[in-house]
Amino acid sequence: MKVRLQLSNNEILELHDEATLYAWKATKQDGNLDENIMFDGQVSELVDSESHTNLMNLISNCDWFALDDMNSTKYQTSAVVKIEVEND
């Protein structure tokens, strides 16, 4: 299964079901920005052949996400404009 996330700049991120996805909500505490991890797991935990509602909920409730390496490129969830799931 493949998941495609289209971003507002037309970039498309292709995720395979074993890809690791990190998602967090940014919160301010005492004037400092903290990262509250909401999800750290594989895409297959959020998407199956019948539904991708869990992925939709995660993206709509988090502020940022990263793929495969938490310290890699981070994407703002508000930039996701389309989610497509392709079953193998």
Side-chain angles (χ1 to χ4, degrees):
M1 172 180 339
K2 287 183 186 174
V3 176
R4 286 186 194 90
L5 302 177
Q6 181 177 343
L7 305 180
S8 58
N9 66 354
N10 289 324
E11 180 179 357
I12 295 178
L13 304 176
E14 281 200 358
L15 316 173
H16 55 87
D17 53 356
E18 294 178 7
T20 302
L21 177 68
Y22 302 93
W24 56 93
K25 190 158 196 69
T27 58
K28 272 194 170 181
Q29 295 228 347
D30 301 324
N32 296 320
L33 191 62
D34 290 332
E35 295 177 352
N36 182 14
I37 300 288
M38 303 290 287
F39 184 79
D40 172 356
Q42 292 186 332
V43 170
S44 61
E45 295 175 52
L46 298 169
V47 177
D48 60 35
S49 61
E50 309 261 329
S51 173
H52 52 282
T53 303
N54 291 335
L55 178 59
M56 291 167 34
N57 286 333
L58 182 71
I59 288 175
S60 66
N61 288 301
C62 291
D63 298 315
W64 295 89
F65 70 96
L67 307 171
D68 291 322
D69 177 4
M70 188 182 295
N71 296 315
S72 69
T73 303
K74 296 176 180 166
Y75 301 91
Q76 195 165 20
T77 57
S78 62
V80 176
V81 295
K82 185 161 97 175
I83 300 171
E84 294 179 302
V85 176
E86 180 183 304
N87 295 314
D88 294 332

